[in-house]
Structure formats: structure tokens, C-alpha cells
């Protein structure tokens, strides 16, 4: 076995970061548009609440498609390689997002408009469903054992970075008058994805295949049907990983999508003000995730995740108290409290799950766990939030209680995972030992 170039771990982590940033930018601009724009353009109804539900419904459709993407590209990634799967997912996401930018609206195409919107949203869901697992593994499997948790977290940095780009894009077009914004301005963030797609493909072309997968393929030990092996042999672990991901996944969409709608529709706050506040908080999330990966590498991922989930249970109460004041600084501080707890968990789960499953089925296993969590907890969270806000007008405690339940689910599953044998860790150590013997 030839020595892997020393620069490959850093390059793989950078490529994972850039690729997931582009994917999440595409996903977040849809989320932002679903909260602010799409209800009026694609689902015009007499009652704004029902238009919002329909808009969030298409948002949820993308999440429901993510497990399919995870299964399809997980199979390809475990059979033919992580890198090839990632090139395909990035291309599908770019085409789907740019396509949304060219869509007609209800006013010009009637029911055809939301139908096409849903189809392209499904394409987005399939792409991000396949992207996440591959990006995590390219970063984690290239990394030295002592840096795996930290470097794998770079794939997770794409979420806040993509959010920053998405909020910046919509903040720029928000300066347009309302007529221009709803006529053509909303399309610009979607069309800009074409440029990002080219950049992402160029960066990914410079990263080699995962060394752990290459070693497995050379030994002819790849799984014929990886998803079957996962469901047959590791379904309990998959379910626990699904639950452990809940607060990191659902919490992000609660804060960044539902809160955008809640603050503008329920509290009557200015749209531009909330976008500015979320923009500042996104930088807090980016810094928190970077530090979290570094700290968890030193204190232990499972211990770190348990503490983060416990703090997340408490975090929504100060968030709602501060946000309800309507003051910009209080809004930023309140949302930042919840985001720091939620994003700490989100950052470290990537490396944690990489160590739970063996190499031969790892892409399929972590994708199934994470994407099923995204479909259930992520896609439905804004809908549940909207229903609770409508059922309890002027009261935030049901929303805070809902958020606490999400965090408690993660804490319970993490506790159960800590007592299970880390199958993947044993496999990873064995691979490292074999590799060391080849190089000595």
C-alpha cells in the first residue's frame, strides 16, 4: 500500500466543508423562501395560515425524500466508492436548485407551478440525502485516528456556512421593493447556485478516494447489498443513532426555519430584523461547531454529546423569553443560547457515528440513521411548530416544551449507545494496525 499524501486529510476535510456548504446553501434558500415567499407565489389561499402550512409541506417533502437518497447513494458509496457518489449528489442538487429559480408561479401556470416545485424539491432531498454520509466519510476516513472526530466535524460546518450564504443572499434581495422581490428578486439566490456548483466540483476533483474504502475494495470485502446487512445486523444501533441525531437535526430547523416564521407572523417583527439576527447567530453556530469538534476529540465524543443534549433540554426557555422582547440584542442572545447547545451536538455526531459502524456498510448505515431522522424530525418540526403556534396563540411554552422533548430523545438514545459495543471503532483500529504494518 502506498503512503497517502500528507495533505489529503486536510484537503478531504476542506472538500467536505465546501461541498456541504453548497448543498446546505441550496437547502437553506429553499427553507427561507418557504417561510417568507412561497406561500404567496405558489399556494395563494384566503388564509395565510393554510398557505404557510402548504409551503412548509413542500419543505417537508424534501426531507421525506432524503432517506431514499441515503439508501441509493449509500449503496453506491459502499459498492463503488465515496467520491463518485458525492460528485453525483452535488450535480443533482445544483440542477434542482437552479431549476427552482426558473419556475413559473401559480399566477402564470396554476397548479403546474407547485407540482414542479415539489418535484424539484424531491430532487434536492435525494441529493442532500446522499451527500451527507459521503462528505462525513471522506473527511473522517482520510483523517488520522487521533483527529477523526475533529476533521469529520468539518462536513458539519457546511450547515452554518450554507446558512450564512443563504441568509446573505436573501438579505440582499430583501432590499428590493415588495413587487420586485416577489416578481423576480426571489429567483436570484437559486440561480446563483450554478456558480457554486462549478466551484464545488472543481474542489472535489482534487481529493482521492477514502483510504479505508480502497483497502476494503482491494481485499474484495465490499458488501453486495450493504443496506440489507445494516437492516439485518444493526437495526437497533441505527434506531439509536436516529434518535441521537434528533436535537441536532430538528433543532436546526426549529431555530432557522420555524422561528423565522414565528417571529414575523406571530410576533409581528420585521422580516429584515430577523434575517439580520439569524445571520449573526449563524456565525455563532459556525464557531461553536469548530470548537466542539476540537473539544470532543479530547474529552470523548459520547461524553461531550450527552452534556450537549442535556443543556439543549433547558435552552428553549431563555430563548423564547428573550426573543419575545423584540429587541435585536436579546433576540440574538436568546437564539444563540439554543443554537450553541444544538450545534455542539450536531458537530460531533458525524465523527461519533463513523466509529459506530464497520467500513463495509458505513455509508449506508450512517445515511439511513441520519436521513430517516431528518425526514421525521427535521421535515416535520416546522409543521408541528406552526400547528402549536396556531393552537396556542400568544403562548410560547408549548413550543419550548416541544423543543425540550426533542433534546430529551437525543439524550436517552445517546445514553443507550454509550453502553453498546462500538463495532466501527474496532474495525477502524484494525484497519489502522494493518495499514501501519504495510507501511513499516
Amino acid at each position: 500500500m502506498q503512503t497517502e499524501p500528507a495533505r489529503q486529510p486536510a484537503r478531504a476535510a476542506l472538500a467536505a466543508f465546501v461541498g456541504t456548504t453548497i448543498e446546505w446553501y441550496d437547502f437553506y434558500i429553499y427553507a427561507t423562501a418557504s417561510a417568507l415567499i412561497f406561500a404567496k407565489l405558489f399556494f395563494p389561499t384566503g388564509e395565510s395560515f393554510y398557505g404557510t402550512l402548504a409551503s412548509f409541506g413542500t419543505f417537508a417533502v424534501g426531507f421525506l425524500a432524503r432517506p431514499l437518497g441515503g439508501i441509493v447513494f449509500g449503496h453506491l458509496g459502499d459498492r463503488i466508492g465515496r467520491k463518485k457518489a458525492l460528485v453525483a449528489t452535488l450535480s443533482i442538487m445544483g440542477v434542482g436548485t437552479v431549476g427552482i429559480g426558473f419556475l413559473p408561479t401559480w399566477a402564470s401556470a396554476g397548479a403546474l407551478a407547485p407540482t414542479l416545485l415539489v418535484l424539484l424539491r424531491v430532487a434536492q432531498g435525494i441529493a442532500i440525502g446522499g451527500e451527507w454520509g459521503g462528505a462525513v466519510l471522506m473527511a473522517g476516513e482520510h483523517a488520522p485516528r487521533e483527529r477523526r472526530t475533529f476533521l469529520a466535524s468539518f462536513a458539519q460546518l457546511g450547515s452554518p456556512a450554507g446558512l450564512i450564504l443563504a441568509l446573505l443572499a436573501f438579505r440582499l434581495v430583501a432590499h428590493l421593493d415588495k413587487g420586485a422581490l416577489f416578481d423576480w428578486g426571489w429567483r436570484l439566490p437559486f440561480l446563483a447556485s450554478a456558480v457554486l456548483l462549478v466551484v464545488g466540483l472543481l474542489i472535489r476533483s482534487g481529493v482521492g478516494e477514502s483510504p479505508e474504502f480502497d483497502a476494503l475494495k482491494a481485499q474484495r470485502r465490499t458488501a453486495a447489498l450493504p443496506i440489507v446487512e445494516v437492516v439485518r445486523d444493526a437495526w437497533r444501533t441505527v434506531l439509536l443513532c436516529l434518535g441521537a441525531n434528533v436535537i441536532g437535526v430538528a433543532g436546526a430547523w426549529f431555530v432557522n426555519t420555524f422561528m423565522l416564521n414565528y417571529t414575523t407572523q406571530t410576533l409581528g417583527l420585521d422580516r429584515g430584523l430577523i434575517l439580520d439576527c439569524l445571520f449573526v447567530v449563524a456565525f455563532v453556530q459556525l464557531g461553536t461547531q469548530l470548537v466542539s469538534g476540537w473539544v470532543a476529540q479530547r474529552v470523548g465524543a459520547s461524553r461531550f454529546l450527552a452534556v450537549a443534549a442535556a443543556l439543549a433540554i433547558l435552552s428553549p426557555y431563555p430563548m423564547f423569553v428573550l426573543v419575545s422582547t423584540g429587541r435585536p440584542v436579546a433576540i440574538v442572545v436568546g437564539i444563540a443560547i439554543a443554537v450553541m447547545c444544538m450545534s455542539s451536538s450536531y458537530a460531533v455526531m458525524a465523527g461519533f457515528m463513523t466509529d459506530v459502524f464497520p467500513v463495509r456498510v458505513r455509508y449506508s448505515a450512517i445515511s439511513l440513521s441520519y436521513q430517516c431522522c431528518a425526514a421525521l424530525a427535521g421535515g416535520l418540526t416546522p409543521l408541528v411548530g406552526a400547528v402549536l403556534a396556531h393552537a396556542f396563540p400568544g403562548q410560547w411554552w408549548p413550543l419550548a416544551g416541544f423543543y425540550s422533548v426533542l433534546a430529551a430523545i437525543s439524550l436517552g438514545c445517546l445514553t443507550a449507545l454509550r453502553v453498546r459495543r462500538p463495532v466501527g471503532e474496532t474495525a477502524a483500529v484494525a484497519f489502522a494496525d494493518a495499514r501501519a504494518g504495510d507501511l513499516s
Side-chain angles (χ1 to χ4, degrees), residues 97-314:
T97 303
V98 173
I100 292 173
F102 285 110
L103 281 182
T105 63
W106 180 279
S108 59
L112 178 62
T115 301
L116 292 175
L117 181 66
V118 169
L119 290 176
L120 291 176
R121 179 61 177 164
V122 168
Q124 279 192 324
I126 291 173
I128 198 70
E131 161 75 18
W132 180 85
V136 166
L137 294 185
M138 285 293 279
E141 291 180 348
H142 273 284
R145 180 81 197 150
E146 68 276 7
R147 298 174 64 200
R148 171 166 290 182
T149 298
F150 177 60
L151 290 180
S153 72
F154 274 64
Q156 305 292 69
L157 290 175
S159 179
L163 176 60
I164 289 169
L165 291 179
L167 290 174
L168 181 60
F170 266 96
R171 194 67 187 94
L172 291 174
V173 299
H175 288 294
L176 298 170
D177 64 77
K178 188 174 182 180
L181 174 63
F182 281 83
D183 184 23
W184 54 267
W186 68 270
R187 300 179 185 274
L188 299 181
F190 291 91
L191 298 178
S193 182
V195 177
L196 297 177
L197 171 63
V198 174
V199 173
L201 290 174
L202 288 174
I203 291 175
R204 280 205 167 147
S205 65
V207 180
E209 182 56 84
S210 156
E212 293 193 21
F213 177 81
D214 273 345
L216 196 73
K217 192 172 182 181
Q219 297 166 10
R220 301 182 181 230
R221 292 176 50 235
T222 55
L225 292 171
I227 193 65
V228 173
E229 288 192 26
V230 170
V231 174
R232 183 189 64 210
D233 301 331
W235 62 271
R236 292 181 183 85
T237 306
V238 167
L239 288 177
L240 289 175
C241 284
L242 186 159
N245 272 292
V246 165
I247 189 57
V249 174
W253 299 109
F254 186 97
V255 170
N256 295 317
T257 302
F258 167 71
M259 286 297 287
L260 182 58
N261 179 264
Y262 173 78
T263 52
T264 55
Q265 299 294 323
T266 302
L267 299 183
L269 301 178
D270 179 69
R271 179 178 59 215
L273 168 65
I274 301 306
L275 286 173
D276 285 343
C277 291
L278 290 177
F279 185 67
V280 173
V281 172
F283 284 96
V284 174
Q285 181 179 347
L286 185 66
T288 299
Q289 289 190 199
L290 192 61
V291 172
S292 295
W294 182 83
V295 173
Q297 186 74 70
R298 282 150 181 78
V299 304
S302 61
R303 182 184 306 168
F304 181 92
L305 286 167
V307 172
L311 292 175
I313 294 174
L314 305 175

Side-chain angles (χ1 to χ4, degrees), residues 30 38-45 47 50-52 54-56 58 106 114-115 117-118:
Y30 191 100
F38 286 164
K40 295 181 180 179
L41 291 181
F42 291 92
F43 307 99
T45 64
E47 171 106 19
Y50 296 109
T52 297
S55 183
F56 279 160
T58 65
W106 180 279
T115 301
L117 181 66
V118 169

Side-chain angles (χ1 to χ4, degrees), residues 303-382:
R303 182 184 306 168
F304 181 92
L305 286 167
V307 172
L311 292 175
I313 294 174
L314 305 175
S315 66
Y317 303 96
M319 176 178 69
F320 276 103
V321 169
L322 291 168
V323 168
S324 298
T325 67
R327 296 195 296 269
V329 174
I331 293 172
V332 168
V333 172
I335 296 178
I337 290 172
V339 163
M340 290 176 71
C341 300
M342 169 272 295
S343 61
S344 295
S345 176
Y346 179 73
V348 179
M349 275 303 301
F352 178 77
M353 286 203 300
T354 299
D355 276 345
V356 170
F357 299 101
V359 178
R360 61 186 274 112
V361 298
R362 189 175 281 162
Y363 200 144
S364 297
I366 69 171
S367 294
L368 185 65
S369 300
Y370 182 83
Q371 303 307 341
C372 286
C373 176
L376 295 171
L380 297 178
T381 291

